[in-house]
Amino acid sequence: MNKLSEEIINSLSPKIKRFFISADYKFISDIEEIRLRVNRPLIVNMNNKDYFFNIKTDKFCDNNQNTYITTREDIEQTFQLICKYSIHSFLDDIKKGFITIKGGHRVGIGGKAIVEKDEIKNIKHISSLNIRVSREIKNCSKNVIKYIIKSQNEIYNTLIISPPQCGKTTLIRDLVRNISTGINEYKFKGIKVAVIDERNEICGSYHGIPQKDVGIRTDAIESCPKDVGIMMLLRSMSPNVIVTDEIGSTKEIESLYSALNGGVSLITSVHGSGIEDIRNRKELNTLLDKELFKRVIVLSCKKGAGTIDKVYDLEEKRCLFIA
C-alpha cells in the first residue's frame, strides 16, 4: 500500500478506491485533501492545486476534461465506510460537521442540517465529503523552537499567525511534541503540556487516544470549546503550557488571560497574513498585547506549507528572524 494511509483508502467507495490504488506512488503520497461532491468531479488537492481523475487515461491530472463525476452512491458508500456501518455511533461527531477516523484524518460533512432550538441535531442527505489527510512532519519546528524556549523548563507565550492551509497545525503539533518530550540540543528537559483540541486536528485522537506523536508529557481534551477546555485543564491537569489552535472569539481571548493568571505559558494560533492584518481586526488586536504574548511567528505559503516567514519579539518590538 502507498503512503496514503490504509484508513483513508479503505474508507472510499469501491469505485473511487480503485483510482487511488492504481495511482502514481509519488502523487498519492503528497495528497492533502480528497473532495467528494454529488454530481461534481472527484477532486484531490495538494500544494493548493486541484487534480482530477481522467476516466480516459485512468490517471489524475490538473485539467478537468473527461473527469470522473462523483455519484450519490459513492458518497453514501464512503460515508457508511467512514462510520463503519453504524452512523448512530458517530452522531455526536456528525452534529459538529466532521468525523475523525483512525490515524487522525478528519472528514468534513456537507448536507442538510437538522436544527432544533438553535442546535444542530443531525446532518442528513449527505452531499459532500472532504477527507483531510493528517500528516506528521517531525522536526518541522526546528528552525523556530530556539526562539520559543526561555529556559530549561519554561517557554515564551507564543502566537502563530498563518493564512489557511499553510501548515500551522502541523507546526503546533511538532512544537507540542518537542516541548513535552524535551530537546537535548537546547538542554530543555520537557514540561507538562495541555492541549485543547476543539476540532481534533492537533492530536488527531481516535476513541480519545492521540494518533499523532504529541510527546510524553501531553494531556489533551478533544471536541471541547476552547474557553471551557482551558479552565478544565488548568484546574485538573496542572499544566506548564496550554496549547490551542485558531483562537477567534472574545470569550476565547479572555480565557487566555485566565490561563496567564494561572501561571502557565501559552501557544495558540490565528488566521491572518501578518501582524498588521491582526492589528486591523478589532476582535483580534488584543492578541498583540505584549503582556499576553511575547513571541509571534508568521507563516507563509509562498515557499510551501509550514514555511516560517518571520519571528517577532513583541516585548522588544523587533524582528528576530526573517526568511
Side-chain angles (χ1 to χ4, degrees), residues 124-268:
K124 294 186 176 181
H125 308 305
I126 308 300
S127 59
S128 61
L129 298 171
N130 175 24
I131 302 172
R132 297 188 65 180
V133 181
S134 178
R135 300 188 190 280
E136 288 183 294
I137 304 178
K138 290 189 176 181
N139 294 317
C140 66
S141 64
K142 67 179 182 179
N143 291 330
V144 74
I145 192 76
K146 62 183 177 182
Y147 298 110
I148 291 177
I149 293 174
K150 186 176 183 180
S151 66
Q152 287 186 347
N153 56 9
E154 190 177 3
I155 67 163
Y156 289 107
N157 296 341
T158 303
L159 174 67
I160 298 170
I161 301 174
S162 170
Q165 290 189 291
C166 283
K168 61 178 172 50
T169 304
T170 303
L171 175 64
I172 288 174
R173 184 186 301 121
D174 198 55
L175 287 172
V176 168
R177 181 182 66 84
N178 278 316
I179 291 167
S180 172
T181 301
I183 312 161
N184 292 332
E185 182 181 352
Y186 298 107
K187 298 181 180 179
F188 187 79
K189 298 179 179 180
I191 53 181
K192 293 176 291 183
V193 181
V195 179
I196 296 88
D197 203 2
E198 184 171 7
R199 282 174 286 274
N200 200 16
E201 291 183 301
I202 299 172
C203 302
S205 296
Y206 181 74
H207 291 172
I209 302 172
Q211 301 293 290
K212 304 303 179 186
D213 184 356
V214 288
I216 63 174
R217 298 178 180 87
T218 298
D219 302 296
I221 184 166
E222 62 176 288
S223 304
C224 178
K226 287 183 277 291
D227 56 306
V228 175
I230 285 172
M231 299 312 298
M232 285 175 63
L233 293 180
L234 190 62
R235 288 191 292 260
S236 63
M237 289 302 186
S238 65
N240 301 112
V241 183
I242 285 181
V243 178
T244 74
D245 200 0
E246 297 182 16
I247 284 288
S249 71
T250 301
K251 188 183 292 186
E252 290 171 350
I253 294 171
E254 288 173 353
S255 69
L256 294 179
Y257 281 99
S258 298
L260 197 61
N261 291 333
V264 303
S265 299
L266 301 167
I267 296 177
T268 191

Side-chain angles (χ1 to χ4, degrees), residues 60-79:
F60 284 97
C61 58
D62 58 3
N63 69 72
N64 61 352
Q65 303 298 313
N66 305 310
T67 61
Y68 178 78
I69 302 299
T70 305
T71 66
R72 180 166 290 281
E73 184 180 25
D74 287 325
I75 296 283
E76 290 173 352
Q77 290 176 341
T78 300
F79 190 61

